[in-house]
Amino acid sequence: MDQSPFARQVTDGVFGYVQPDGSWWINNCGIVAAGDHTVVIDTCATERRTRALLATAESAGGAPVTTVVNTHHHGDHTNGNHLATGATIVGHRKTREVMVATGINTYENSFTGNDWGHLELRPPEVLFDDRLTVHAGDVRLELIHPGHAAHTTNDVLVWLPERRVLFVGDLIFNGGSPFALMGSPAGWRKALDLVRELEPETIVPGHGPVCGPEAIDVVDGYLGFLQKLASYGKAAGLTPLQAAREADLGPYAALSEQERLPANLHRAYAELDGLEWGAPIDLGAALADMVTFNGAPIRCFS
């Protein structure tokens, strides 16, 4: 597979910056040409990848990048913010709060192979809570927080209503296993109802190829499967790791990053115990189970 990133035009002046193969730390971004300036949706995990993104954005947009919108706090979407030196970073209030509180996380005990380069923490400077409108030339971008935890506590949809294009962040993994450790399976499913209500024609997912609304049901189905597996596992007295090892993934066996299952179960078990959507849990234990399930630290290619 050619793993070179590429900008796919999804509507006039709007591009999905797709990074194959969409696995750990290899995300997608967006580019909106606004005439005299360019808007970018998310940066990348590493210095090298972010520099390539920004160069492509300025070439595709024909003007400097002046605005970066972050769809959530995870490092594969924010580590490169500091390289957009002439741009304002826009994000949810909780995106900034989490980034300031935790700094840059590379989780070296869980992942291996990343070529980080030089990274500096740069959280969003322009913040919002519910909705914010950004105009990029004649393109209107509606930034929408679902109002609760989903993939994380601070997910942002970037909706282009006149173009029927949705940059959905990591609410959609197209071809990969969803990752709910820092969010909420129940809240994520509720957020997908909001995605359906928007009726997008084109979705640029956080990972994987550009797709249509058919990808929504795959993610929703996986999350429903996860909730059922958690209920069975707890009732049977199984740990999340034991339940993951016994699971029959059925139609979801073809999804990549199956090692996310035990970590997802840690979150689903916590919800069954009554924990609030997105409330803190022991991330270290969940990541350790993920590595154990995988049999080794997880190989990355970013």
Side-chain angles (χ1 to χ4, degrees):
M1 169 188 275
D2 181 3
Q3 294 196 338
S4 302
F6 60 93
R8 169 182 166 181
Q9 182 163 298
V10 293
T11 183
D12 187 31
V14 179
F15 303 83
Y17 185 80
V18 179
Q19 296 198 96
D21 59 358
S23 56
W24 286 106
W25 299 96
I26 303 177
N27 67 311
N28 295 333
C29 306
I31 302 167
V32 182
D36 62 348
H37 67 283
T38 303
V39 176
V40 166
I41 301 164
D42 282 330
T43 56
C44 305
T46 70
E47 178 185 1
R48 176 179 59 86
R49 286 182 177 272
T50 301
R51 289 192 184 280
L53 161 69
L54 295 174
T56 300
E58 295 203 355
S59 175
V65 175
T66 61
T67 308
V68 173
V69 177
N70 287 151
T71 62
H72 59 293
H73 75 275
H74 283 163
D76 51 337
H77 299 259
T78 62
N79 278 356
N81 284 358
H82 70 103
L83 294 169
T85 54
T88 298
I89 313 297
V90 181
H92 193 267
R93 188 173 307 278
K94 290 182 179 178
T95 299
R96 179 178 177 88
E97 290 173 356
V98 175
M99 290 178 68
V100 169
T102 63
I104 292 176
N105 296 301
T106 56
Y107 303 103
E108 298 293 353
N109 291 331
S110 301
F111 302 99
T112 183
N114 288 312
D115 176 16
W116 301 111
H118 176 71
L119 300 177
E120 297 177 15
L121 182 69
R122 187 181 174 197
E125 298 121 2
V126 174
L127 311 177
F128 72 99
D129 292 308
D130 301 312
R131 294 191 178 220
L132 180 70
T133 301
V134 174
H135 289 275
D138 63 354
V139 180
R140 177 163 61 103
L141 289 72
E142 295 292 342
L143 313 187
I144 306 169
H145 180 254
H148 50 78
H151 168 62
T152 67
T153 61
N154 52 94
D155 301 292
V156 173
L157 304 172
V158 183
W159 172 229
L160 283 56
E162 287 79 22
R163 309 296 185 90
R164 317 307 299 175
V165 172
L166 180 64
F167 291 87
V168 76
D170 281 0
L171 292 184
I172 298 289
F173 287 80
N174 185 17
S177 301
F179 192 46
L181 176 59
M182 299 181 194
S184 162
W188 194 335
R189 299 190 75 186
K190 185 176 179 181
L192 290 176
D193 287 336
L194 171 60
V195 173
R196 292 186 180 97
E197 289 170 9
L198 295 174
E199 298 184 345
E201 294 177 1
T202 303
I203 293 175
V204 181
H207 297 261
V210 174
C211 55
E214 70 282 349
I216 301 170
D217 288 343
V218 177
V219 175
D220 195 19
Y222 176 94
L223 294 168
F225 157 80
L226 174 66
Q227 290 175 311
K228 291 179 181 177
L229 178 61
S231 294
Y232 161 77
K234 276 188 70 68
L238 302 176
T239 67
L241 179 58
Q242 289 170 335
R245 283 175 162 167
E246 290 189 12
D248 178 0
L249 288 169
Y252 309 108
L255 297 179
S256 59
E257 294 81 55
Q258 292 180 11
E259 66 275 4
R260 291 174 180 162
L261 182 57
N264 287 337
L265 285 167
H266 273 262
R267 174 59 66 178
Y269 273 38
E271 289 195 357
L272 289 173
D273 289 334
L275 197 69
E276 181 181 346
W277 293 356
I281 63 172
D282 188 344
L283 299 182
L287 292 173
D289 276 358
M290 196 167 65
V291 171
T292 300
F293 184 90
N294 189 58
I298 299 158
R299 184 77 173 93
C300 299
F301 300 93
S302 66

